[in-house]
Amino acid sequence: QVQLVESGGGLVQAGGSLRLSCAASGRTFSNYAMGWFRQAPGKEREFVAAINWSGGRTYYADSVKGRFTISRDNAKNTVYLQMNSLKPEDTAVYYCAADADTNYRSSYYYTREGPYDYWGQGTQVTVSS
């Protein structure tokens, strides 16, 4: 079992920044690829970003590319999502997820919810205009 706890959400004005953190416990963190997803009110959950087990490969949704950065610190069992130039349409509950996989995978693989074995409870991000 892996427990994931997100933090860092809040209310920010458009153009501002936030950094989300996801702390993992329970298993060897470096054996997991990690992803961030989000769900806006009335919409389906969607992929935001992912990072492979070593941090050597990252993947982003087109809507956040160039504004968001995913990173991980395996010594701290934590994955981060730095969000810059936030827009009102970024308002959502943000979830981190863990995939027990160290194999090389295509970018498409990480955009799907199916591969992820564990999910956090989510943290609210609200961007005001």
Side-chain angles (χ1 to χ4, degrees), residues 28-99:
T28 305
F29 180 68
S30 59
N31 288 345
Y32 290 81
M34 300 297 295
W36 285 97
F37 289 74
R38 67 186 181 186
Q39 187 168 23
K43 295 187 177 181
E44 292 187 353
R45 190 156 56 185
E46 64 176 3
F47 169 76
V48 176
I51 189 166
N52 77 323
W53 66 275
S54 68
R57 292 190 300 276
T58 57
Y59 310 89
Y60 297 94
D62 287 343
S63 59
V64 306
K65 203 170 293 184
R67 300 188 298 122
F68 291 10
T69 302
I70 188 171
S71 62
R72 66 189 297 158
D73 185 336
N74 286 345
K76 295 183 178 180
N77 290 356
T78 302
V79 62
Y80 304 98
L81 185 68
Q82 178 66 45
M83 305 186 296
N84 298 329
S85 302
L86 283 161
K87 305 175 181 179
E89 51 264 43
D90 295 318
T91 295
V93 177
Y94 283 70
Y95 300 89
C96 73
D99 170 25

Side-chain angles (χ1 to χ4, degrees), residues 1-7 21-25 29 33-39 45 79 93-99 113 116-124:
Q1 283 280 7
V2 173
Q3 292 78 43
L4 303 173
V5 179
E6 302 97 335
S7 61
S21 299
C22 174
S25 61
F29 180 68
M34 300 297 295
W36 285 97
F37 289 74
R38 67 186 181 186
Q39 187 168 23
R45 190 156 56 185
V79 62
V93 177
Y94 283 70
Y95 300 89
C96 73
D99 170 25
E113 294 188 30
Y116 295 91
D117 306 288
Y118 304 99
W119 293 82
Q121 293 300 306
T123 185
Q124 176 71 46

